Amino acid sequence: MKNHLLLLCAFLCCFPVFALDSEDVILDKLNNAIKNKQHYVKLKEERILNFKKIKSETLTKEQEYNYNKTLYLEYQKFNSDSAIRYVKKNINIAEQLQNKDLLTLARLQLVTLYSSSGKYRESEAILKSINKKTLSAQLLPTYYISYREFFEHYAANSYNEEYRQQIIKYRDSLLTILDPKSLDYKINRIQQDIFHKKFNNTQKKLQDLLQVTPEENPQYAMITYLLGKINEATNNLELRKKYYALSATSDLKNANKDNASLQELALVFYEIGDVDMAYKLTQSAIEDALYCNVQFRTLLMSEVYSIINTVYLEKEAKRKTELQLYLLCISLLSVFLVAAVIYVYKQMKKVSRIRAELYETSQKLAELNKDITQTNEQLQETNSQLSESNHVKEEYIAHFFSLCSTYINKLENYRIILNKKATAKQFDEIYKILKSTTLVDNELEELYKNFDIIFLNLYPTFVKDFNALLIPEEQIVLKQGELLNTELRIFALIRLGITDSVKIAAFLRYSLSTIYNYRTRGRNKAAVSRNDFEEMVMKIGSMALKS
């Protein structure tokens, strides 16, 4: 009997903690993880920083390759731009070592990072350049994983059945070479069963894996996510919410910015009518996707966000309407009170002073109500004007962070080059580099190209609409490969609200007189009134113009 009790206690101690947690406890842990998200990010950054501090100047090329590989793994689900930087360093090292396997491994790692960042052409080009027949047995799993994830990321842009088949194909190939006893094999096997809607024993297998997988293990989030997917397919809402919450909590604690659990959980709360929680989770998921620069995840989130945000705004509007109703009730009660005071005045002459004060109060309330109405009308007009600005701001914030990261990397590389030459006392070379304007010219060219791409992404019909404002014989025809020319770029800046010629001249590095000449020439070529020309340019692509 004593032995049986000991076995029972041992079993209860080994049983996973989450099974004992109620739904409220799980959601409390999730809310706490969201609240402390920056703390987990800070812990991750400190761990990476401490690892960077141990780097020695005496590392061999092979050791430096492994050092960069470790940093890539740390950044892979945290900051894709940083991960790409270290993979590119390993490509250079592998080329110097002339080690084909190391070079192929780094290129395959770059494939997944590129496809998750939206660089599908670059990703596909690398995959097509790799000959599968020449790969070693150790690289085949990475090769199949890269192809599978490429199609998973690409499928975010299109619900094409062909992409689904490609995902299944490469996962099948992966399963043929993985060790059946490994965790990777078991998870991929289960994912394949879920793809084929085989749910009979799949949930039991996942629960068995969950019992032996600690929450700190990144695979814990994947296992609970797949359990959520199964319960989503079998319409078990409560278990679906529970497992997605466990997965999201694990991702948050591991500072995994590339996660799908928050998005799925937001949809669950949306379905059960908890719009506030759904909005909170959606905001957190979008913040993570932007932080990590995972564009395919941002694309998926945008669809969910538009739905949940619309309902959230409608709910806020309903609350506002209810407040207005309460205000109306209070006003009616005030009127009733005044009537009661008048009645008391007729009955009792002694309350005349109170009646006067109440009358004055009602007048102030009426004036306040009128002010509130006017303020609401002004706010509605302001909100309409800001809607387009908010769209531009959101687009430019994402591109701003990307450009800042790129220019910081370039400055760092430039500093390294100068430092190496200074160490080698190659002062003539340093003077030559500093004297040359090639770097500035190249950066300006890239800056203007990025500006053209971002601007045309916001206003894709700008060139056509601008030409519509000009007389036919003066319309602008762009050269082969041009997105915008100098004249279009000037009026693009005006469209963005930068009307000061001094600022335009500084940005485009032209003289002030040149900018004046371009603007004057544009007004002279206008098919509309010269005085209204620039004002109409500023309306190109706006909601007012579309309507």
Side-chain angles (χ1 to χ4, degrees):
M1 182 65 181
K2 184 177 181 181
N3 291 336
H4 290 164
L5 288 174
L6 290 174
L7 287 174
L8 179 61
C9 291
F11 172 77
L12 291 175
C13 291
C14 295
F15 200 71
V17 177
F18 77 87
L20 303 177
D21 289 343
S22 66
E23 180 181 309
D24 291 338
V25 173
I26 292 172
L27 293 179
D28 285 342
K29 289 181 178 180
L30 173 63
N31 283 314
N32 188 57
I34 294 174
K35 181 180 178 181
N36 295 300
K37 183 165 68 171
Q38 293 305 317
H39 170 69
Y40 298 126
V41 170
K42 185 178 180 181
L43 290 177
K44 175 102 173 176
E45 291 173 341
E46 288 176 353
R47 184 172 71 247
I48 294 173
L49 182 61
N50 290 333
F51 179 78
K52 288 180 178 179
K53 289 178 180 179
I54 68 173
K55 184 177 181 182
S56 171
E57 297 297 332
T58 61
L59 291 179
T60 65
K61 289 295 182 182
E62 289 83 1
Q63 290 172 332
E64 187 175 355
Y65 184 97
N66 289 327
Y67 172 85
N68 291 336
K69 182 180 176 183
T70 302
L71 286 173
Y72 150 76
L73 293 173
E74 287 287 345
Y75 279 120
Q76 184 181 15
K77 299 292 185 179
F78 182 63
N79 189 318
S80 62
D81 291 334
S82 297
I84 289 172
R85 183 166 72 252
Y86 285 102
V87 170
K88 286 183 176 180
K89 287 183 179 181
N90 274 351
I91 290 175
N92 292 332
I93 293 173
E95 288 174 346
Q96 293 172 20
L97 293 172
Q98 296 183 347
N99 189 318
K100 185 177 179 181
D101 282 351
L102 293 182
L103 178 61
T104 303
L105 175 60
R107 295 179 70 199
L108 287 172
Q109 290 169 345
L110 190 60
V111 164
T112 302
L113 292 171
Y114 272 169
S115 63
S116 68
S117 301
K119 298 180 180 179
Y120 302 115
R121 292 181 181 273
E122 294 90 336
S123 184
E124 185 178 22
I126 296 174
L127 285 171
K128 289 183 176 180
S129 69
I130 297 174
N131 186 354
K132 172 188 167 185
K133 296 179 181 179
T134 64
L135 294 179
S136 63
Q138 292 81 3
L139 288 175
L140 275 176
T142 308
Y143 176 80
Y144 290 135
I145 290 171
S146 298
Y147 252 113
R148 186 201 70 202
E149 292 187 350
F150 167 76
F151 283 109
E152 286 176 348
H153 297 160
Y154 201 45
N157 290 301
S158 172
Y159 296 99
N160 194 322
E161 180 62 25
E162 179 184 350
Y163 303 143
R164 176 185 171 88
Q165 295 304 320
Q166 291 292 336
I167 295 169
I168 296 173
K169 168 187 170 183
Y170 283 104
R171 184 177 282 115
D172 282 338
S173 300
L174 179 63
L175 289 171
T176 61
I177 59 175
L178 288 177
D179 180 5
K181 296 181 180 179
S182 68
L183 183 59
D184 285 340
Y185 176 89
K186 293 176 182 178
I187 289 178
N188 277 279
R189 176 77 268 174
I190 289 169
Q191 285 179 309
Q192 197 72 319
D193 289 341
I194 293 174
F195 257 99
H196 293 297
K197 299 182 179 180
K198 299 177 181 178
F199 305 128
N200 293 336
N201 297 320
T202 307
Q203 188 162 352
K204 174 71 167 56
K205 293 176 182 178
L206 284 170
Q207 288 172 339
D208 291 341
L209 288 176
L210 199 61
Q211 291 184 20
V212 296
T213 306
E215 188 178 355
E216 297 75 22
N217 190 326
Q219 294 290 20
Y220 180 92
M222 173 57 75
I223 294 169
T224 47
Y225 175 78
L226 293 176
L227 281 166
K229 275 292 180 186
I230 291 174
N231 285 285
E232 180 179 351
T234 55
N235 298 317
N236 191 327
L237 186 63
E238 291 304 314
L239 286 179
R240 174 184 167 196
K241 178 167 64 173
K242 169 184 175 180
Y243 286 119
Y244 280 148
L246 288 169
S247 179
T249 303
S250 178
D251 279 332
L252 288 166
K253 289 183 176 180
N254 287 310
N256 178 10
K257 299 294 185 179
D258 179 10
N259 64 77
S261 304
L262 282 173
Q263 173 185 338
E264 298 293 348
L265 190 59
L267 287 173
V268 173
F269 279 100
Y270 172 73
E271 290 178 15
I272 63 178
D274 192 344
V275 180
D276 292 339
M277 187 63 175
Y279 183 81
K280 176 181 177 180
L281 294 171
T282 306
Q283 287 288 97
S284 181
I286 289 178
E287 288 173 4
D288 287 352
L290 291 174
Y291 184 95
C292 190
N293 192 25
V294 188
Q295 291 194 9
F296 89 96
R297 190 74 65 199
T298 306
L299 180 64
L300 292 173
M301 282 303 305
S302 63
E303 300 175 2
V304 178
Y305 180 78
S306 61
I307 297 171
I308 294 176
N309 187 53
T310 300
V311 177
Y312 180 80
L313 292 177
E314 289 176 354
K315 186 175 180 180
E316 287 298 307
K318 184 179 179 181
R319 289 173 181 170
K320 184 178 178 181
T321 302
E322 290 175 352
L323 288 175
Q324 290 176 339
L325 180 61
Y326 295 149
L327 180 61
L328 178 61
C329 291
I330 291 172
S331 300
L332 292 174
L333 288 174
S334 299
V335 172
F336 175 77
L337 180 59
V338 171
V341 170
I342 294 173
Y343 174 77
V344 172
Y345 173 76
K346 291 180 179 180
Q347 302 300 320
M348 302 175 64
K349 299 294 184 179
K350 296 180 181 181
V351 296
S352 59
R353 180 178 57 84
I354 298 175
R355 177 189 172 214
E357 290 177 355
L358 287 174
Y359 177 77
E360 183 180 352
T361 302
S362 67
Q363 291 298 316
K364 290 181 179 179
L365 285 173
E367 291 176 1
L368 181 59
N369 192 34
K370 182 178 179 181
D371 292 340
I372 291 174
T373 302
Q374 292 176 349
T375 303
N376 285 336
E377 292 175 354
Q378 292 173 356
L379 284 174
Q380 290 175 358
E381 182 179 354
T382 304
N383 286 336
S384 175
Q385 294 172 352
L386 287 175
S387 60
E388 182 182 356
S389 298
N390 286 337
H391 171 67
V392 174
K393 178 182 70 176
E394 291 170 3
E395 289 282 344
Y396 269 96
I397 284 174
H399 289 292
F400 170 76
F401 282 120
S402 177
L403 287 175
C404 283
S405 177
T406 300
Y407 283 121
I408 288 171
N409 291 338
K410 288 181 179 180
L411 286 173
E412 176 64 12
N413 290 335
Y414 190 59
R415 184 192 67 79
I416 291 172
I417 291 171
L418 292 177
N419 185 50
K420 286 182 178 179
K421 292 189 178 294
T423 303
K425 297 183 178 180
Q426 297 175 349
F427 299 114
D428 291 339
E429 289 293 324
I430 294 174
Y431 177 72
K432 183 178 179 181
I433 291 173
L434 293 175
K435 186 177 180 182
S436 173
T437 61
T438 303
L439 177 64
V440 176
D441 293 339
N442 290 339
E443 291 303 320
L444 282 173
E445 182 179 350
E446 184 176 351
L447 173 63
Y448 294 148
K449 181 179 179 181
N450 284 330
F451 171 80
D452 295 347
I453 293 171
I454 296 170
F455 180 80
L456 291 177
N457 185 43
L458 291 169
Y459 305 102
T461 63
F462 177 78
V463 177
K464 177 183 176 182
D465 294 340
F466 182 79
N467 276 330
L469 299 177
L470 304 178
I471 56 179
E473 59 270 18
E474 292 293 345
Q475 291 185 354
I476 298 173
V477 179
L478 293 171
K479 297 178 181 179
Q480 183 70 26
E482 274 189 333
L483 297 176
L484 297 175
N485 58 19
T486 300
E487 183 175 359
L488 285 171
R489 211 168 280 134
I490 290 171
F491 286 99
L493 289 169
I494 292 174
R495 175 61 189 87
L496 292 174
I498 303 172
T499 58
D500 189 343
S501 294
V502 175
K503 293 181 179 179
I504 296 174
F507 176 72
L508 298 179
R509 299 178 77 88
Y510 284 108
S511 67
L512 186 59
S513 60
T514 301
I515 300 301
Y516 279 128
N517 289 338
Y518 270 114
R519 294 178 72 168
T520 302
R521 191 185 310 162
R523 287 193 293 269
N524 291 337
K525 297 189 297 183
V528 297
S529 171
R530 294 177 75 254
N531 295 331
D532 299 335
F533 176 68
E534 290 192 358
E535 183 178 346
M536 296 185 72
V537 169
M538 294 182 71
K539 293 181 179 179
I540 290 177
S542 67
M543 292 183 293
L545 188 62
K546 290 178 182 178
S547 61

